Amino acid sequence: MNTIISLRLFLVLGIMIFSLPSLGQQKYQKILELSYENGPMISNGKEWADEIRDLVSYRGADIRLGWRKTSNNFYNKLYRYPTFGIGFSTALPYYPEIGRPQGFYGFGEFPFSSKNLDKRLYLAYFAQLGLGFNLNPYDSLDNPLNQYIGSELNAYIHFGFKANYRLNQDFELFSTIGLKHYSNGATKRPNAGINLAPIALGVRYNIDKISPESLRSIDYPELEKRGYWNFALYLGSKNYEVGDPSYFRGGFGVNYLWDASYKYRIGLGLDYFIAPGFESRYPGRIGTFSNQSSLAIVGSWEWKLNDRLYMPIGLGAYLHYNSENQESWFYERIGVRYKMNEHLFGGLQIKAHKAKADFFEFTIGYTIPGKIQKVVGN
């Protein structure tokens, strides 16, 4: 099952990387970054977690190759000439309790303000998503203390903030702070997730040289507002108890979304979920449609990173749910999706209850766009 998860994550990582237009069609500034990071492991407050936290003083290194978009098109200007690319993160020492966490990922970095692009100091935020590996998972005999993670292969996620200081056209210094997370999305328990809060110091080499003054501020075109019907199929798996097998977990969603701005869509819809295997999980009880199904109303928000790549975020409240399927009355969703054309899309999200993973949703879907209404931009 972890092989399936890893393939899904590599698929999404590939989408993130190859969603960049070809180098022949766009202008790019290639960059290379190297950083050293140090920070604490975050405990969940339990006694065994505090013991691991006290044993692990995280130290790591990170290397990234990126392409900063410098063409003066709308989305490049809107996001203040972002950088996309690939990277590799690794802990430097080996920790007997958690292993040597490593991650191969795709990333995006977005400056906060276009006014500071030609300044020596500028601030940005970033997101990294990929495959985490080389962890030492829970084992009842060999590693009983580590109840953070139950698998060697996991999702790797890192969000944070970055300060850049330009020395000259060739080199920049930077520092980052954020949260680094390893999780398998409850495909194999235990799965409290490993959370690290490193602070990094690094150096950036600009392989291609550009003049910061060439990154001009944005001129807003007319905003094309329209509605969209989204139909999505969710596929995944879930492990309910340590030592038990994993079971299929899936569902179907229908959402209506509306362009709220140049960057965001908002909407409302319904999600239906199925959790088969009830009789195997609860011997002696009968599995029915009711106790293996759930229905929810969900508020949706989509962050448009460009004309094809976007992040879906949702908050759902169940109209019907089952505590036997480890559901509470509400859930959260965040992920990444890619539009293959005007109608088809695919992606990966994580669905969670009270910030605890329910399952990874490998998603395929179909969009029916409505009529365009043009509104003059600011």
Side-chain angles (χ1 to χ4, degrees):
M1 190 61 64
N2 284 324
T3 301
I4 296 175
I5 294 297
S6 66
L7 290 174
R8 291 173 182 171
L9 290 169
F10 272 123
L11 174 61
V12 174
L13 181 59
I15 288 173
M16 293 177 66
I17 296 169
F18 293 109
S19 64
L20 297 173
S22 68
L23 295 177
Q25 296 173 336
Q26 290 246 21
K27 295 180 181 179
Y28 289 85
Q29 177 192 32
K30 295 188 289 293
I31 61 101
L32 180 65
E33 293 185 341
L34 180 65
S35 62
Y36 169 80
E37 53 190 27
N38 190 308
M41 184 173 182
I42 300 175
S43 170
N44 61 15
K46 297 183 178 180
E47 185 176 347
W48 60 264
D50 290 341
E51 185 175 348
I52 294 179
R53 177 201 60 193
D54 294 339
L55 293 170
V56 174
S57 178
Y58 178 75
R59 290 177 288 121
D62 207 303
I63 185 169
R64 289 180 289 275
L65 178 63
W67 295 265
R68 186 180 192 185
K69 296 185 172 185
T70 59
S71 298
N72 285 309
N73 65 42
F74 174 64
Y75 274 104
N76 289 355
K77 293 181 179 181
L78 183 65
Y79 286 105
R80 302 160 298 278
Y81 302 93
T83 302
F84 293 93
I86 57 175
F88 175 72
S89 172
T90 180
L92 294 177
Y94 175 83
Y95 305 98
E97 299 77 21
I98 64 171
R100 181 179 286 112
Q102 297 177 324
F104 177 67
Y105 59 86
F107 75 89
E109 178 186 322
F110 307 87
F112 272 110
S113 173
S114 59
K115 296 179 181 179
N116 295 324
L117 291 177
D118 59 347
K119 307 296 184 184
R120 283 191 176 271
L121 177 66
Y122 63 97
L123 305 178
Y125 58 95
F126 66 87
Q128 302 170 355
L129 173 64
L131 178 67
F133 53 94
N134 205 26
L135 287 95
N136 188 14
Y138 168 85
D139 185 280
S140 59
L141 298 177
D142 296 331
N143 193 20
L145 183 61
N146 179 18
Q147 299 179 50
Y148 277 115
I149 210 79
S151 58
E152 295 180 0
L153 289 172
N154 297 271
Y156 169 88
I157 303 169
H158 190 187
F159 294 100
F161 303 97
K162 184 180 181 186
N164 301 269
Y165 184 79
R166 186 179 296 108
L167 299 175
N168 51 47
Q169 280 197 335
D170 295 305
F171 291 99
E172 299 179 23
L173 300 178
F174 66 85
S175 179
T176 68
I177 184 170
L179 179 66
K180 192 185 294 275
H181 179 71
Y182 293 87
S183 171
N184 63 43
T187 58
K188 188 174 182 181
R189 292 186 181 273
N191 186 54
I194 292 177
N195 292 298
L196 305 164
I199 296 176
L201 295 174
V203 61
R204 166 172 168 165
Y205 174 62
N206 296 317
I207 300 172
D208 298 318
K209 312 303 183 290
I210 63 168
S211 170
E213 292 79 10
S214 67
L215 305 179
R216 298 193 297 271
S217 60
I218 185 172
D219 296 320
Y220 285 86
E222 290 185 340
L223 172 62
E224 294 183 347
K225 284 196 171 184
R226 64 164 69 180
Y228 302 83
W229 282 102
N230 274 0
F231 301 88
L233 180 66
Y234 314 128
L235 304 171
S237 64
K238 181 177 177 67
N239 176 226
Y240 292 87
E241 301 294 340
V242 176
D244 286 354
S246 296
Y247 296 86
F248 173 80
R249 194 82 164 90
F252 181 80
V254 179
N255 277 263
Y256 184 79
L257 295 108
W258 180 258
D259 284 311
S261 71
Y262 295 99
K263 296 182 180 179
Y264 311 119
R265 295 190 184 108
I266 58 173
L268 194 66
L270 291 174
D271 276 339
Y272 166 75
F273 299 102
I274 183 170
F278 186 90
E279 294 179 358
S280 298
R281 292 186 280 118
Y282 295 97
R285 297 180 62 181
I286 298 175
T288 65
F289 176 81
S290 178
N291 62 28
Q292 296 180 100
S293 300
S294 53
L295 181 67
I297 185 170
V298 58
S300 299
W301 182 76
E302 290 184 353
W303 180 22
K304 299 180 284 185
L305 300 177
N306 57 38
D307 56 349
R308 288 187 178 270
L309 187 67
Y310 61 98
M311 292 182 64
I313 298 172
L315 181 63
Y318 287 103
L319 303 174
H320 169 73
Y321 72 95
N322 296 279
S323 58
E324 295 94 337
N325 298 328
Q326 299 181 351
E327 296 171 332
S328 59
W329 69 271
F330 72 96
Y331 61 91
E332 313 91 45
R333 170 185 289 127
I334 187 170
V336 61
R337 290 180 182 172
Y338 180 74
K339 290 174 58 178
M340 291 168 272
N341 54 41
E342 185 181 9
H343 298 288
L344 296 176
F345 64 85
L348 180 70
Q349 299 82 234
I350 186 166
K351 175 175 175 273
H353 296 105
K354 299 178 181 178
K356 293 184 178 180
D358 183 21
F359 73 104
F360 279 124
E361 300 173 330
F362 179 65
T363 303
I364 53 175
Y366 190 85
T367 297
I368 301 177
K371 293 182 179 180
I372 296 175
Q373 298 180 18
K374 289 191 176 182
V375 179
V376 176
N378 297 323

